[in-house]
Amino acid sequence: MALSISRRILRSFASLNSLRPLSASNVKANTLGDGVSCLESSVFRKDESLFLVCRRYSTSLLTPDSSDGSFPSDLLSKKRVSTPEREIGLLQDLVIPVTNFNNEDKGFMCLAGDVFDVPIRKDIIHRVVRWQLAKRQQGTHSTKTISEVSGTGRKPWNQKGTGRARHGTLRGPQFRGGATMHGPKPRSHAIKLNKKVRRLGLKIALSARAAEGKLLVFENLEIPSHKTKNIVNYFNQLENTKKLLVVDGGPISEKLKLATQNVHYVNVLPSIGLNVYSILLHDTLVMSRDAVNKIVERMHTPINR
């Protein structure tokens, strides 16, 4: 059966024997509808018969709305293809827009990659936060020993003859109002942490906020008046923000202090006081252009040994 079919095909194409083989210059490209091109070329020669094969190479984009029927629409995804997100921690410089409290366009600013795009390491953040919390403990706790507690030094009763346990003082820890044994005394809870690790922790915290899109750069932190509504109105425009940290390059202006002192979810810091724990407590970080420059300069300053 297969042999008879192949012979019929050879007879049907017998009229093509007069055609000569197509070379590269004889290749014809015909354009069909909807951006589909048809390319005619010689494929093989068998029994002195030339077979022309027309192959279609589609150059059109297939979408669920395509009506040419070239591909089943139910097999095409209706979801929008999203571009892959930027890989974090490649030390690449970041370009972000600069604005202000009025949402005005103030251009762009380039953030140093070695400060705002370092690899995220949770272990470094844990060590720095633990160092900060330990160092800020006052350590003023104190208890009184047997020599410091008030009370008489007389022997309460005779050594023998009373049937009671022998005691030499009523200021012992076993008596009410007596001393405390092995109690806390004033001391420093600070632990040692290398300066390189502290600096790396701040870089990681800044990089994390930049990667989340929660780092905003302002041209300046000027507000028209000291009214709290100036800050509250801007805060209400932010999405997915519960606490806001505002960082300025120099001393905080008096207007900004008064506008934020009654708002518990907005805090203000100078750039010299920016730290890892404060960044982690606030989900959005607003920095002035001057503050960014001061932080980058601080991170690039050699460490004094």
Side-chain angles (χ1 to χ4, degrees), residues 62-263:
L62 298 178
T63 61
D65 301 330
S66 301
S67 59
D68 57 355
S70 56
F71 198 85
S73 60
D74 56 337
L75 298 181
L76 294 175
S77 175
K78 297 181 181 295
K79 296 181 180 180
R80 179 173 297 179
V81 179
S82 60
T83 57
E85 296 183 356
R86 176 181 65 87
E87 187 174 353
I88 305 173
L90 298 181
L91 304 181
Q92 296 178 348
D93 293 344
L94 308 178
V95 179
I96 62 175
V98 180
T99 180
N100 57 13
F101 283 116
N102 297 324
N103 291 326
E104 299 174 351
D105 186 11
K106 296 295 182 179
F108 296 89
M109 185 173 188
C110 182
L111 303 181
D114 58 345
V115 177
F116 293 91
D117 190 27
V118 301
I120 306 300
R121 291 186 54 183
K122 295 182 180 180
D123 59 319
I124 297 295
I125 294 294
H126 175 265
R127 291 177 62 185
V128 176
V129 170
R130 182 170 170 266
W131 169 77
Q132 276 192 242
L133 297 182
K135 189 175 179 60
R136 78 175 188 176
Q137 281 188 256
Q138 291 183 350
T140 55
H141 39 52
S142 179
T143 55
K144 292 184 177 182
T145 63
I146 194 171
S147 61
E148 296 171 341
V149 69
S150 62
T152 179
R154 183 178 66 88
K155 187 176 176 64
W157 49 77
N158 295 334
Q159 182 79 0
K160 293 177 176 291
T162 62
R164 305 183 65 179
R166 53 196 174 189
H167 292 289
T169 178
L170 292 178
R171 296 185 296 176
Q174 68 271 33
F175 292 108
R176 179 179 178 272
T180 300
M181 298 301 296
H182 310 295
K185 282 293 185 178
R187 67 182 181 92
S188 173
H189 292 265
I191 57 178
K192 184 180 181 298
L193 190 64
N194 293 339
K195 293 181 180 179
K196 284 186 178 181
V197 181
R198 303 181 215 167
R199 179 172 292 186
L200 181 58
L202 184 56
K203 291 180 181 180
I204 293 174
L206 293 173
S207 301
R209 287 292 176 261
E212 296 169 350
K214 294 292 188 177
L215 175 61
L216 308 177
V217 178
F218 281 13
E219 182 68 24
N220 51 57
L221 299 180
E222 294 181 0
I223 53 178
S225 66
H226 64 281
K227 294 292 185 180
T228 306
K229 65 180 180 181
N230 297 321
I231 300 297
V232 174
N233 292 338
Y234 175 77
F235 182 85
N236 294 334
Q237 299 174 8
L238 300 176
E239 297 180 357
N240 301 325
T241 300
K242 295 182 179 180
K243 295 193 71 175
L244 180 66
L245 179 62
V246 182
V247 182
D248 201 356
I252 307 301
S253 64
E254 195 64 27
K255 289 183 179 180
L256 190 59
K257 284 183 181 179
L258 296 175
T260 58
Q261 67 179 0
N262 290 334
V263 185

